[in-house]
PDB file of all heavy atoms in Angstrom:
ATOM      1  N   LEU B 248     -16.145 101.351  12.730  1.00 98.00           N
ATOM      2  CA  LEU B 248     -15.709 102.401  13.647  1.00 98.00           C
ATOM      3  C   LEU B 248     -16.540 103.647  13.375  1.00 98.00           C
ATOM      4  O   LEU B 248     -16.697 104.054  12.225  1.00 98.00           O
ATOM      5  CB  LEU B 248     -14.225 102.731  13.444  1.00 98.00           C
ATOM      6  CG  LEU B 248     -13.239 101.557  13.388  1.00 98.00           C
ATOM      7  CD1 LEU B 248     -11.816 102.084  13.242  1.00 98.00           C
ATOM      8  CD2 LEU B 248     -13.342 100.691  14.623  1.00 98.00           C
ATOM      9  N   MET B 249     -17.071 104.229  14.436  1.00 98.00           N
ATOM     10  CA  MET B 249     -17.918 105.405  14.265  1.00 98.00           C
ATOM     11  C   MET B 249     -17.447 106.520  15.190  1.00 98.00           C
ATOM     12  O   MET B 249     -17.130 106.283  16.362  1.00 98.00           O
ATOM     13  CB  MET B 249     -19.370 105.063  14.580  1.00 98.00           C
ATOM     14  CG  MET B 249     -20.343 106.154  14.169  1.00 98.00           C
ATOM     15  SD  MET B 249     -22.008 105.809  14.747  1.00 98.00           S
ATOM     16  CE  MET B 249     -22.444 104.413  13.760  1.00 98.00           C
ATOM     17  N   MET B 250     -17.426 107.724  14.644  1.00 97.00           N
ATOM     18  CA  MET B 250     -16.899 108.860  15.398  1.00 97.00           C
ATOM     19  C   MET B 250     -17.803 110.071  15.220  1.00 97.00           C
ATOM     20  O   MET B 250     -18.407 110.250  14.163  1.00 97.00           O
ATOM     21  CB  MET B 250     -15.485 109.176  14.869  1.00 97.00           C
ATOM     22  CG  MET B 250     -14.841 110.417  15.436  1.00 97.00           C
ATOM     23  SD  MET B 250     -13.404 110.922  14.466  1.00 97.00           S
ATOM     24  CE  MET B 250     -12.108 110.065  15.322  1.00 97.00           C
ATOM     25  N   ASP B 251     -17.887 110.879  16.260  1.00 96.00           N
ATOM     26  CA  ASP B 251     -18.526 112.186  16.128  1.00 96.00           C
ATOM     27  C   ASP B 251     -17.449 113.129  15.600  1.00 96.00           C
ATOM     28  O   ASP B 251     -16.486 113.432  16.319  1.00 96.00           O
ATOM     29  CB  ASP B 251     -19.028 112.653  17.499  1.00 96.00           C
ATOM     30  CG  ASP B 251     -19.657 114.032  17.439  1.00 96.00           C
ATOM     31  OD1 ASP B 251     -19.472 114.733  16.425  1.00 96.00           O
ATOM     32  OD2 ASP B 251     -20.326 114.421  18.410  1.00 96.00           O
ATOM     33  N   PRO B 252     -17.561 113.594  14.352  1.00 96.00           N
ATOM     34  CA  PRO B 252     -16.446 114.341  13.763  1.00 96.00           C
ATOM     35  C   PRO B 252     -16.189 115.691  14.427  1.00 96.00           C
ATOM     36  O   PRO B 252     -15.089 116.235  14.315  1.00 96.00           O
ATOM     37  CB  PRO B 252     -16.876 114.528  12.305  1.00 96.00           C
ATOM     38  CG  PRO B 252     -18.357 114.401  12.318  1.00 96.00           C
ATOM     39  CD  PRO B 252     -18.690 113.465  13.429  1.00 96.00           C
ATOM     40  N   THR B 253     -17.164 116.226  15.122  1.00 95.00           N
ATOM     41  CA  THR B 253     -16.962 117.544  15.722  1.00 95.00           C
ATOM     42  C   THR B 253     -16.110 117.481  16.987  1.00 95.00           C
ATOM     43  O   THR B 253     -15.446 118.456  17.334  1.00 95.00           O
ATOM     44  CB  THR B 253     -18.315 118.202  16.063  1.00 95.00           C
ATOM     45  OG1 THR B 253     -19.034 117.322  16.928  1.00 95.00           O
ATOM     46  CG2 THR B 253     -19.129 118.452  14.814  1.00 95.00           C
ATOM     47  N   THR B 254     -16.135 116.355  17.667  1.00 95.00           N
ATOM     48  CA  THR B 254     -15.379 116.242  18.922  1.00 95.00           C
ATOM     49  C   THR B 254     -14.290 115.170  18.883  1.00 95.00           C
ATOM     50  O   THR B 254     -13.398 115.167  19.724  1.00 95.00           O
ATOM     51  CB  THR B 254     -16.321 115.882  20.093  1.00 95.00           C
ATOM     52  OG1 THR B 254     -16.975 114.639  19.773  1.00 95.00           O
ATOM     53  CG2 THR B 254     -17.362 116.962  20.317  1.00 95.00           C
ATOM     54  N   GLY B 255     -14.400 114.264  17.931  1.00 96.00           N
ATOM     55  CA  GLY B 255     -13.475 113.124  17.902  1.00 96.00           C
ATOM     56  C   GLY B 255     -13.943 111.989  18.791  1.00 96.00           C
ATOM     57  O   GLY B 255     -13.242 110.983  18.937  1.00 96.00           O
ATOM     58  N   ASP B 256     -15.113 112.139  19.393  1.00 96.00           N
ATOM     59  CA  ASP B 256     -15.633 111.088  20.284  1.00 96.00           C
ATOM     60  C   ASP B 256     -15.943 109.821  19.494  1.00 96.00           C
ATOM     61  O   ASP B 256     -16.680 109.872  18.505  1.00 96.00           O
ATOM     62  CB  ASP B 256     -16.919 111.547  20.972  1.00 96.00           C
ATOM     63  CG  ASP B 256     -16.637 112.528  22.085  1.00 96.00           C
ATOM     64  OD1 ASP B 256     -15.454 112.867  22.274  1.00 96.00           O
ATOM     65  OD2 ASP B 256     -17.597 112.958  22.741  1.00 96.00           O
ATOM     66  N   MET B 257     -15.412 108.704  19.949  1.00 97.00           N
ATOM     67  CA  MET B 257     -15.726 107.432  19.304  1.00 97.00           C
ATOM     68  C   MET B 257     -17.069 106.947  19.833  1.00 97.00           C
ATOM     69  O   MET B 257     -17.251 106.763  21.032  1.00 97.00           O
ATOM     70  CB  MET B 257     -14.642 106.400  19.614  1.00 97.00           C
ATOM     71  CG  MET B 257     -13.287 106.705  19.007  1.00 97.00           C
ATOM     72  SD  MET B 257     -13.267 106.834  17.213  1.00 97.00           S
ATOM     73  CE  MET B 257     -13.754 105.190  16.740  1.00 97.00           C
ATOM     74  N   LEU B 258     -18.023 106.749  18.945  1.00 97.00           N
ATOM     75  CA  LEU B 258     -19.361 106.312  19.354  1.00 97.00           C
ATOM     76  C   LEU B 258     -19.484 104.793  19.304  1.00 97.00           C
ATOM     77  O   LEU B 258     -20.266 104.205  20.053  1.00 97.00           O
ATOM     78  CB  LEU B 258     -20.413 106.947  18.443  1.00 97.00           C
ATOM     79  CG  LEU B 258     -20.428 108.485  18.422  1.00 97.00           C
ATOM     80  CD1 LEU B 258     -21.410 108.995  17.379  1.00 97.00           C
ATOM     81  CD2 LEU B 258     -20.801 109.023  19.794  1.00 97.00           C
ATOM     82  N   ALA B 259     -18.762 104.194  18.401  1.00 97.00           N
ATOM     83  CA  ALA B 259     -18.767 102.724  18.305  1.00 97.00           C
ATOM     84  C   ALA B 259     -17.393 102.269  17.832  1.00 97.00           C
ATOM     85  O   ALA B 259     -16.720 102.981  17.071  1.00 97.00           O
ATOM     86  CB  ALA B 259     -19.844 102.249  17.338  1.00 97.00           C
ATOM     87  N   TYR B 260     -17.016 101.107  18.317  1.00 97.00           N
ATOM     88  CA  TYR B 260     -15.709 100.550  17.947  1.00 97.00           C
ATOM     89  C   TYR B 260     -15.884  99.039  17.913  1.00 97.00           C
ATOM     90  O   TYR B 260     -15.573  98.335  18.862  1.00 97.00           O
ATOM     91  CB  TYR B 260     -14.677 100.966  18.991  1.00 97.00           C
ATOM     92  CG  TYR B 260     -13.236 100.764  18.595  1.00 97.00           C
ATOM     93  CD1 TYR B 260     -12.499 101.803  18.046  1.00 97.00           C
ATOM     94  CD2 TYR B 260     -12.607  99.542  18.792  1.00 97.00           C
ATOM     95  CE1 TYR B 260     -11.176 101.636  17.701  1.00 97.00           C
ATOM     96  CE2 TYR B 260     -11.284  99.358  18.446  1.00 97.00           C
ATOM     97  CZ  TYR B 260     -10.575 100.420  17.910  1.00 97.00           C
ATOM     98  OH  TYR B 260      -9.254 100.252  17.567  1.00 97.00           O
ATOM     99  N   ALA B 261     -16.449  98.583  16.819  1.00 97.00           N
ATOM    100  CA  ALA B 261     -16.765  97.159  16.702  1.00 97.00           C
ATOM    101  C   ALA B 261     -15.706  96.467  15.859  1.00 97.00           C
ATOM    102  O   ALA B 261     -15.381  96.940  14.772  1.00 97.00           O
ATOM    103  CB  ALA B 261     -18.137  96.980  16.071  1.00 97.00           C
ATOM    104  N   ALA B 262     -15.196  95.387  16.366  1.00 97.00           N
ATOM    105  CA  ALA B 262     -14.239  94.573  15.618  1.00 97.00           C
ATOM    106  C   ALA B 262     -14.561  93.115  15.896  1.00 97.00           C
ATOM    107  O   ALA B 262     -14.623  92.701  17.052  1.00 97.00           O
ATOM    108  CB  ALA B 262     -12.813  94.901  16.031  1.00 97.00           C
ATOM    109  N   LEU B 263     -14.792  92.381  14.851  1.00 95.00           N
ATOM    110  CA  LEU B 263     -15.143  90.960  14.996  1.00 95.00           C
ATOM    111  C   LEU B 263     -14.200  90.122  14.134  1.00 95.00           C
ATOM    112  O   LEU B 263     -13.714  90.618  13.125  1.00 95.00           O
ATOM    113  CB  LEU B 263     -16.596  90.722  14.548  1.00 95.00           C
ATOM    114  CG  LEU B 263     -17.698  91.389  15.379  1.00 95.00           C
ATOM    115  CD1 LEU B 263     -19.058  91.053  14.793  1.00 95.00           C
ATOM    116  CD2 LEU B 263     -17.634  90.974  16.845  1.00 95.00           C
ATOM    117  N   PRO B 264     -13.948  88.891  14.522  1.00 95.00           N
ATOM    118  CA  PRO B 264     -14.438  88.165  15.696  1.00 95.00           C
ATOM    119  C   PRO B 264     -13.866  88.760  16.984  1.00 95.00           C
ATOM    120  O   PRO B 264     -12.732  89.227  17.006  1.00 95.00           O
ATOM    121  CB  PRO B 264     -13.921  86.744  15.490  1.00 95.00           C
ATOM    122  CG  PRO B 264     -13.417  86.678  14.098  1.00 95.00           C
ATOM    123  CD  PRO B 264     -13.079  88.043  13.689  1.00 95.00           C
ATOM    124  N   SER B 265     -14.674  88.684  18.032  1.00 95.00           N
ATOM    125  CA  SER B 265     -14.224  89.200  19.315  1.00 95.00           C
ATOM    126  C   SER B 265     -14.218  88.058  20.337  1.00 95.00           C
ATOM    127  O   SER B 265     -14.213  86.884  19.952  1.00 95.00           O
ATOM    128  CB  SER B 265     -15.133  90.340  19.770  1.00 95.00           C
ATOM    129  OG  SER B 265     -16.451  89.867  19.939  1.00 95.00           O
ATOM    130  N   TYR B 266     -14.268  88.386  21.579  1.00 96.00           N
ATOM    131  CA  TYR B 266     -14.171  87.370  22.639  1.00 96.00           C
ATOM    132  C   TYR B 266     -14.895  87.883  23.866  1.00 96.00           C
ATOM    133  O   TYR B 266     -15.239  89.062  23.949  1.00 96.00           O
ATOM    134  CB  TYR B 266     -12.690  87.095  22.960  1.00 96.00           C
ATOM    135  CG  TYR B 266     -12.007  88.289  23.575  1.00 96.00           C
ATOM    136  CD1 TYR B 266     -11.760  88.358  24.932  1.00 96.00           C
ATOM    137  CD2 TYR B 266     -11.645  89.382  22.797  1.00 96.00           C
ATOM    138  CE1 TYR B 266     -11.164  89.474  25.501  1.00 96.00           C
ATOM    139  CE2 TYR B 266     -11.062  90.501  23.346  1.00 96.00           C
ATOM    140  CZ  TYR B 266     -10.821  90.540  24.696  1.00 96.00           C
ATOM    141  OH  TYR B 266     -10.248  91.650  25.259  1.00 96.00           O
ATOM    142  N   ASP B 267     -15.097  86.968  24.807  1.00 95.00           N
ATOM    143  CA  ASP B 267     -15.715  87.363  26.070  1.00 95.00           C
ATOM    144  C   ASP B 267     -14.603  87.668  27.075  1.00 95.00           C
ATOM    145  O   ASP B 267     -13.870  86.754  27.477  1.00 95.00           O
ATOM    146  CB  ASP B 267     -16.606  86.227  26.594  1.00 95.00           C
ATOM    147  CG  ASP B 267     -17.347  86.620  27.868  1.00 95.00           C
ATOM    148  OD1 ASP B 267     -17.034  87.691  28.431  1.00 95.00           O
ATOM    149  OD2 ASP B 267     -18.232  85.853  28.297  1.00 95.00           O
ATOM    150  N   PRO B 268     -14.451  88.917  27.480  1.00 95.00           N
ATOM    151  CA  PRO B 268     -13.350  89.244  28.394  1.00 95.00           C
ATOM    152  C   PRO B 268     -13.487  88.587  29.768  1.00 95.00           C
ATOM    153  O   PRO B 268     -12.515  88.530  30.521  1.00 95.00           O
ATOM    154  CB  PRO B 268     -13.417  90.773  28.512  1.00 95.00           C
ATOM    155  CG  PRO B 268     -14.769  91.154  28.058  1.00 95.00           C
ATOM    156  CD  PRO B 268     -15.231  90.102  27.113  1.00 95.00           C
TER     157      PRO B 268
END
Side-chain angles (χ1 to χ4, degrees):
Chain B
L248 311 182
M249 191 187 291
M250 174 194 268
D251 178 346
T253 57
T254 59
D256 284 2
M257 293 301 297
L258 301 174
Y260 194 95
L263 295 180
S265 62
Y266 66 102
D267 184 351

